[in-house]
Amino acid sequence: MDSAPEITDSRRVRFFKGTATEQAHRVTRQIVGTAAALALCMWIFIAWSWRSEYRVSQTVGRVQEFNLIAAFANELTLTLDAASGALQLVQNEMGAMPPSATPEDVRARLQQAIRGVTGPMRDIRVIAPDGRLLFSTRHPDPGPEDVSGHANFVHLRDDLKAGLVINAFGPASGPDRTITVRRRLETVDQAFAGEAILMMKPGSLIGLRHEVDLGRRGTIVVAGADGVILAGFDRDHPDGSMGVGTNLLGAPYPDNLRPGETGSYMRYSRVDGVQRLIAVRRLATYPLNILVGLDMSDVTAEARDHAILIGTVGGGTTILIAVLTLLLVREVWRRTRREIEMTADRERLQLAQQQIEVERSRLAETNRELVDSKERAEIANRTKSQFLAHMSHELRTPLHAIIGFSELIRDQAPTKPGSPPIAGYASDILTSGRHLLDLINTILDITKIESGTATLTERLFPFADLARNALVSVRAQAEMHRITLDLRLPEIPLRLFADRTRLLQVLINLLANAVKFTPDDGEIVLSVAFNAADDVILSVIDSGIGMTEAEILVALEPFGQVDNTLSRTFEGTGLGLPLASRLMELHGGRLDLTSIKGRGTAARVTLPAWRVARPGAGAA
């Protein structure tokens, strides 16, 4: 046959491939660009949403702070108004005090005057014009305390227009720490009459803080006009000791607020470093600033949660866009490659069509040759069948005559001493003739099986009789070599539905092989067993020389001979095991060989379960 022409891409295919590839690149750029623009617009919108949420949260936080600081400033003003009222009572009494009044008279009148004073007062003290402690609500006999050198006393003594002075007193923290409210005391003619001091706990300045949740790190701070913290409150410092003494002045702290004005700013705290949104208000009537600080993480918590949610959705959407873009681009290139392949296939189909026309003529010629070959094979098969049938008749007829005459000569030949050994010669002829007849029968059986013309004559029969007949056939040869033959049958009599003659032939072949390759004084066991599927297993186990796996494969082939130095009488034809295997296949079973070199061989014949007659079946 001529070789097929080489198929290559034509110029038209190459041109289409270049055009389609360029188009695919252009479409890919458009898809990727559109996806990128879509993702960019989405993230711009997400960023705008984040910024808007952040600004809204700050606005809401400032509104909340302004409301809180208004309430706290009002409460602090009321507290200071109460303190100022108490100090005014002291001023009224000291202003009306006659110059001749003794210290005891002054203390008695002051004690009487402030008896009804309530509020956040912890102690009210009065300092005489000479700086000595004159009166204390907590200490009836105050002792010789002198504050004439203190800055606050000097300031109130020298400044005729000094108002209330509010500052801290005592340690930065602890139960002794107080907030003091001081004022100048004057006589009727406005002469300096001393100093009045009201002391209160820092926590009494703002009681409303217990009713308001400022978050995890929210703070309330009271600072003087100079920006120094007088009291600071948070969850960790309920006694007002947070940041006491810290100066808040400096940007962005507003130091120019007018009375009653409120400002707002954001900064990292100088006390604990936390970033807070802070509102600060200057009290309208007192020189104090009050600050409310909310933790920025609390202020922006909702915005942050929204940002995380929107960011997650945006990230997932971006991934989805990327995946869809990838899938779309892959589909574009897949279709492009498919179109290129289809164009090339069309070119190839045209060339293939030409080849088909050539091959069609060749196939027609080949078909004619096959028809002729089939006819010749059928003729050869018929000739073989006729030859085998003719040879069967032609060979068996003289063999039967040879066997018969040799048997007659053996039986009637003279056996007197000195006579010729005619009987021995006749016996040898008889043995050879019978062996040749068995060989011819075996060859004919294998030929029929392989050609599919062999048939089985099946009937129900007891296996025990078959097994004993098989043992009888090889007993003489076994006794010659002192080989023990053992038959092991099941307790319940076994009946089989099979071709009795063929099955007997199988057993005789297996037993003959076992006797042939078993050394003297050996043992051969014929037994019956069942497997899990209730198939019957007929086993012939010997203690012979055994075989390797390779030798087993040779033994199962027709005319296969395993090289053996222990073969006794004859080498054999190598047809026994192949014939047994073919006969078992006709019965729907199989023949299995297992062997260990030097220790023996086990030949197992397996018949399907349906060939076993169960109790109650009819007799043979």
Side-chain angles (χ1 to χ4, degrees), residues 81-229:
D81 286 345
S84 179
L87 295 179
Q88 184 62 44
L89 289 176
V90 175
Q91 168 62 39
N92 294 339
E93 290 298 328
M94 293 297 293
M97 196 77 64
S100 59
T102 63
E104 288 76 10
D105 293 337
V106 173
R107 284 193 285 269
R109 291 187 63 174
L110 290 175
Q111 187 70 36
Q112 181 67 28
I114 65 175
R115 180 174 296 173
V117 176
T118 60
M121 180 185 68
R122 181 178 184 185
D123 186 14
I124 295 179
R125 296 183 179 185
V126 177
I127 308 297
D130 59 358
R132 293 183 180 277
L133 181 59
L134 180 64
F135 172 77
S136 173
T137 57
R138 297 186 64 183
H139 303 285
D141 186 9
E145 183 178 346
D146 187 359
V147 296
S148 58
H150 289 186
N152 290 324
F153 179 81
V154 173
H155 170 67
L156 293 175
R157 183 191 64 189
D158 298 340
D159 189 356
L160 299 179
K161 296 182 179 180
L164 292 180
V165 177
I166 303 171
N167 53 24
F169 178 78
S173 62
D176 295 333
R177 184 175 179 278
T178 58
I179 299 296
T180 63
V181 181
R182 305 168 185 264
R183 67 163 292 166
R184 175 187 171 93
L185 298 178
E186 298 178 345
T187 61
V188 177
D189 56 357
Q190 294 186 346
F192 180 65
E195 177 187 16
I197 305 172
L198 186 142
M199 305 177 114
M200 65 183 76
K201 292 182 178 181
S204 62
L205 293 176
I206 305 174
L208 186 61
R209 59 190 172 81
H210 298 294
E211 309 298 330
V212 178
D213 183 13
L214 297 179
R216 296 174 300 166
R217 294 184 289 188
T219 60
I220 302 174
V221 173
V222 178
D226 57 356
V228 177
I229 296 177

Side-chain angles (χ1 to χ4, degrees), residues 343-360:
T343 301
D345 289 343
R346 283 194 292 269
E347 290 291 321
R348 293 184 178 93
L349 283 175
Q350 293 177 0
L351 293 177
Q353 183 68 28
Q354 299 174 4
Q355 296 176 7
I356 290 173
E357 295 299 329
V358 175
E359 294 296 332
R360 184 176 297 170

Side-chain angles (χ1 to χ4, degrees), residues 496 533-536 584 587-590 606-612:
L496 299 177
D534 287 336
D535 298 333
V536 63
M584 293 316 304
H587 282 81
R590 66 180 185 275
T606 302
L607 290 172
W610 61 270
R611 289 193 176 275
V612 179

Side-chain angles (χ1 to χ4, degrees), residues 35-116:
L38 180 62
L40 179 61
C41 293
M42 180 186 67
W43 280 107
I44 291 175
F45 173 76
I46 290 175
W48 175 82
S49 299
W50 286 348
R51 185 174 180 82
S52 298
E53 286 275 354
Y54 186 76
R55 288 181 174 178
V56 169
S57 65
Q58 282 188 321
T59 301
V60 172
R62 285 192 174 93
V63 172
Q64 181 183 1
E65 280 191 329
F66 280 18
N67 293 333
L68 290 175
I69 204 168
F72 292 149
N74 183 59
E75 183 185 16
L76 181 57
T77 299
L78 293 177
T79 300
L80 295 177
D81 286 345
S84 179
L87 295 179
Q88 184 62 44
L89 289 176
V90 175
Q91 168 62 39
N92 294 339
E93 290 298 328
M94 293 297 293
M97 196 77 64
S100 59
T102 63
E104 288 76 10
D105 293 337
V106 173
R107 284 193 285 269
R109 291 187 63 174
L110 290 175
Q111 187 70 36
Q112 181 67 28
I114 65 175
R115 180 174 296 173

Side-chain angles (χ1 to χ4, degrees), residues 86 141 163 248 310 394 406 413 489 544:
D141 186 9
L248 299 177
I310 295 174
E394 294 297 328
S406 61
L489 298 174

Side-chain angles (χ1 to χ4, degrees), residues 389-435:
H390 179 71
M391 288 301 297
S392 173
H393 175 73
E394 294 297 328
L395 290 175
R396 288 179 179 179
T397 300
L399 276 176
H400 282 302
I402 292 171
I403 291 170
F405 283 117
S406 61
E407 187 175 6
L408 179 63
I409 293 172
R410 182 197 62 183
D411 293 339
Q412 296 182 2
T415 58
K416 295 179 180 181
S419 299
I422 297 175
Y425 300 151
S427 179
D428 293 339
I429 295 171
L430 177 62
T431 300
S432 298
R434 287 176 176 174
H435 176 65

Side-chain angles (χ1 to χ4, degrees), residues 353-371:
Q353 183 68 28
Q354 299 174 4
Q355 296 176 7
I356 290 173
E357 295 299 329
V358 175
E359 294 296 332
R360 184 176 297 170
S361 60
R362 293 176 181 173
L363 287 175
E365 180 65 25
T366 303
N367 188 45
R368 288 192 295 271
E369 294 176 357
L370 289 175
V371 172

